[in-house]
Amino acid sequence: MKLAKISLLCALMGAIALPAGAQDLRIALQSDADVLDPDQSRTFVGRIVYASMCDKLVDITPDLKLNPQLATGWEWSPDGKSLTMTLREGVVFHDGTPFNAEAVAANINRSQTLDVSRRKSELKSITGMEVLDPFTIRFDMAAPDATLLAQFADRAGMMVSPTAANAAGADFGLNPVCSGAFKFKERVAQDRIVLEKFPDYWNADQIHFDTVTYLPIPDTTVRLANLQSGDIDMLERLAATDLTQANGDAGVNVESAVSLGYQGITMNVNNGEKGDNPWGNDKRLRQALSLAMDREAINQVVFDGAFASGNQPYPPTSPWYNADHPVPARDVAKAKALLAEAGYPDGIKLEVQVPNTTVPLQLMQVVQAMAAEAGIDITITSKEFATLLADQSAGNYQASQIGWSGRVDPDGNIHQFMTTGGGINDSHYSHPEVDKLLNAARTSTDVATRKESYDAARKILIDELPIVYLYHQTWIWALDSSIKGFTPYPDGMIRLEGVTLEK
């Protein structure tokens, strides 16, 4: 497998003809991206591609402060119900369409009204917009929304060409047109995504590559082998078990940052026919599964202790973590008692779909062994990641091992997953009090007030467990030592401003 992949990469690089002296940066991804439309997509690796292709209104700094990108400044009204943004001048989309306040209004309208948009819940608070001048726009809300700026620092804030979006409709992802440093060139599913430098980029002086090629390579060992052989220049999500090998290679540099997100098992509680099953209908079974897990042992066995065990959407180091509900100790006896109480004294089966990549499969094999000791017989169904997501959205699953890369604002880690009709609520979990609490947390800018709402919601969710959280990962990148200027970010993105390849 390793030699075959390396040979494929060699053939690929020969097939992509570059001008003399042109520099291509080759980045290995853990999986292939889904649709390349910011309004429709949901994959972590898709966001990595967007970091080079689609600028946002707002970005973040490495220490998680909000930072201007396409918006150069902003101001809230005294009542918190309006946000006025000043926009960057001299920006054009990749098709030559000018970026201005009208383009921003068109983007937000698309995110709110496109039938297949996943951004609707993220921008639900915006009730109106007014273009004040060519480079100033005001967003109006019925109630304050403390999360809006953070939403604009992610896919909801990615600006696409209104001209291209109007022409393509829901098919925009086949030929995306944004305003980032690199424009879309080609895509071969499960093989490569190629971007080329956009000469009219507003910050072009900081971009030092002619093309960027993203290569999905699910096997972590193969990714590292390709880096060490020189067939790629960088990889994201180096396996913790490969750290020793990477650190021992003088030609490889390792960078890391603690993530904002989580990994866990999403349970189908009400999404179609497959949600109508004992696991979806009885929280005691989900509680038993959680109690069967030794989260710290998972961290040690699968990740060599490099990650953090977890039971919430936020890591224990986060100010939003609810200390009243610490990571539970494993309790097999109690898990068995819950199964018996639910009517399954002799055990019960559970099918868990899992991405067909190395680490998730290793994780689920450990989970499978632990669950078996409590009487839970887990069948692991391995799927290509885009297929897994499609099945999860459609309700074609019983349980799914999946995670979330995390967001700067806590709302981004919980609201769209747990509220009724949330954009990524693939469980179809619904609880009126949780809806009330999470919606209330959006309306205050006071940290203490918001935390009260999140803590109250967690009290319910710890009991209901539509998602069984397992751990919080550390982003680990491995780079060819000739790459200079790379800065690790807690959101796991690869930002290429100021990055060079000095071979």
Side-chain angles (χ1 to χ4, degrees):
M1 180 181 178
K2 183 186 300 183
L3 291 177
K5 188 65 187 184
I6 291 174
S7 297
L8 174 63
L9 286 174
C10 290
L12 167 63
M13 299 323 300
I16 300 175
L18 297 175
Q23 256 194 334
D24 176 50
L25 182 68
R26 300 157 300 175
I27 301 174
L29 305 176
Q30 183 168 287
S31 57
D32 199 13
D34 59 347
V35 58
L36 292 177
D37 180 345
D39 277 332
Q40 299 185 57
S41 66
R42 58 181 294 176
T43 59
F44 174 70
V45 292
R47 290 176 63 219
I48 293 177
V49 176
Y50 291 141
S52 294
M53 186 172 68
C54 299
D55 276 3
K56 303 165 292 188
L57 291 173
V58 180
D59 201 6
I60 64 170
T61 64
D63 58 354
L64 301 179
K65 294 178 181 177
L66 295 174
N67 198 43
Q69 193 168 60
L70 290 176
T72 56
W74 48 82
E75 183 178 5
W76 290 98
S77 63
D79 63 2
K81 294 182 179 180
S82 293
L83 174 67
T84 301
M85 281 190 150
T86 303
L87 306 175
R88 189 177 299 279
E89 300 184 30
V91 176
V92 294
F93 292 98
H94 298 153
D95 61 357
T97 300
F99 169 77
N100 51 32
E102 294 286 356
V104 173
N107 268 266
I108 302 305
N109 181 66
R110 181 179 192 262
S111 296
Q112 291 184 317
T113 61
L114 185 71
D115 285 344
V116 290
S117 172
R118 294 184 179 276
R119 311 282 82 87
K120 292 177 182 177
S121 65
E122 298 167 16
L123 299 173
K124 185 178 180 180
S125 64
I126 297 177
T127 56
M129 296 174 284
E130 183 172 350
V131 173
L132 302 179
D133 64 46
F135 295 99
T136 310
I137 187 169
R138 189 185 73 233
F139 303 100
D140 297 322
M141 290 150 275
D145 181 3
T147 75
L148 189 57
L149 280 175
Q151 303 290 10
F152 285 157
D154 200 350
R155 278 173 286 217
M158 293 177 187
M159 296 290 103
V160 305
S161 164
T163 304
N166 288 337
D171 293 328
F172 176 82
L174 298 175
N175 186 26
V177 181
C178 296
S179 66
F182 295 86
K183 61 181 181 179
F184 180 78
K185 182 178 181 181
E186 67 168 335
R187 178 177 191 176
V188 179
Q190 304 303 322
D191 186 74
R192 66 185 182 269
I193 296 171
V194 183
L195 309 181
E196 59 185 354
K197 185 175 181 178
F198 179 48
D200 295 326
Y201 183 54
W202 62 270
N203 198 21
D205 290 346
Q206 292 297 309
I207 305 302
H208 305 292
F209 301 101
D210 298 283
T211 61
V212 183
T213 300
Y214 298 92
L215 302 157
I217 305 177
D219 190 292
T220 58
T221 302
V222 174
R223 284 207 300 280
L224 181 55
N226 277 274
L227 177 65
Q228 292 180 304
S229 67
D231 287 302
I232 62 171
D233 305 302
M234 180 189 305
L235 65 86
E236 56 96 15
R237 278 178 288 180
L238 177 74
T241 50
D242 289 332
L243 266 173
T244 300
Q245 180 180 345
N247 284 324
D249 188 332
V252 174
N253 288 337
V254 175
E255 300 280 0
S256 64
V258 177
S259 81
L260 304 171
Y262 62 82
Q263 287 284 331
I265 299 175
T266 294
M267 311 298 295
N268 186 350
V269 301
N270 194 33
N271 189 351
E273 293 182 4
K274 283 205 169 184
D276 187 12
N277 69 82
W279 289 95
N281 297 333
D282 195 331
K283 66 183 179 181
R284 291 172 295 186
L285 300 183
R286 303 191 294 270
Q287 292 169 355
L289 177 63
S290 180
L291 286 167
M293 299 301 102
D294 186 332
R295 289 163 170 82
E296 185 51 38
I298 289 172
N299 180 34
Q300 296 298 329
V301 171
V302 184
F303 308 113
D304 281 357
F307 295 170
S309 55
N311 67 324
Q312 299 183 32
Y314 332 108
T317 54
S318 169
W320 302 101
Y321 185 82
N322 187 348
D324 292 336
H325 298 283
V327 176
R330 190 184 192 211
D331 193 334
V332 174
K334 188 173 181 180
K336 289 181 176 180
L338 283 167
L339 292 182
E341 184 181 314
Y344 300 93
D346 299 322
I348 186 172
K349 295 181 180 295
L350 173 66
E351 181 185 10
V352 182
Q353 64 172 10
V354 58
N356 64 339
T357 53
T358 311
V359 173
L361 285 168
Q362 291 173 343
L363 167 70
M364 278 311 303
Q365 287 164 0
V366 175
V367 168
Q368 183 183 50
M370 290 179 173
E373 294 179 18
I376 301 169
D377 181 9
I378 291 180
T379 298
I380 299 172
T381 301
S382 175
K383 298 181 180 180
E384 188 275 323
F385 191 59
T387 302
L388 178 144
L389 282 181
D391 286 347
Q392 191 171 297
S393 297
N396 186 26
Y397 78 105
Q398 192 172 44
S400 184
Q401 196 288 296
I402 195 168
W404 183 244
S405 54
R407 297 297 182 267
V408 175
D409 190 278
D411 179 89
N413 278 23
I414 189 169
H415 189 280
Q416 57 194 333
F417 298 95
M418 296 299 176
T419 53
T420 304
I424 317 181
N425 184 355
D426 293 333
S427 291
H428 283 200
Y429 175 76
S430 179
H431 192 293
E433 185 63 17
V434 170
D435 290 351
K436 178 182 176 181
L437 289 165
L438 295 183
N439 287 330
R442 286 184 156 187
T443 63
S444 174
T445 56
D446 180 73
V447 171
T449 299
R450 297 186 73 196
K451 193 171 188 312
E452 284 182 11
S453 293
Y454 289 125
D455 285 352
R458 284 268 13 108
K459 186 175 181 180
I460 297 170
L461 294 168
I462 284 284
D463 181 62
E464 300 260 323
L465 289 175
I467 296 178
V468 178
Y469 301 99
L470 295 176
Y471 69 92
H472 306 276
Q473 70 188 92
T474 295
W475 302 128
I476 308 174
W477 297 266
L479 306 82
D480 188 287
S481 59
S482 61
I483 291 181
K484 309 297 180 185
F486 175 76
T487 301
Y489 278 72
D491 64 358
M493 297 299 100
I494 297 173
R495 293 167 172 82
L496 295 179
E497 288 85 356
V499 178
T500 60
L501 184 61
E502 299 176 4
K503 285 189 175 179

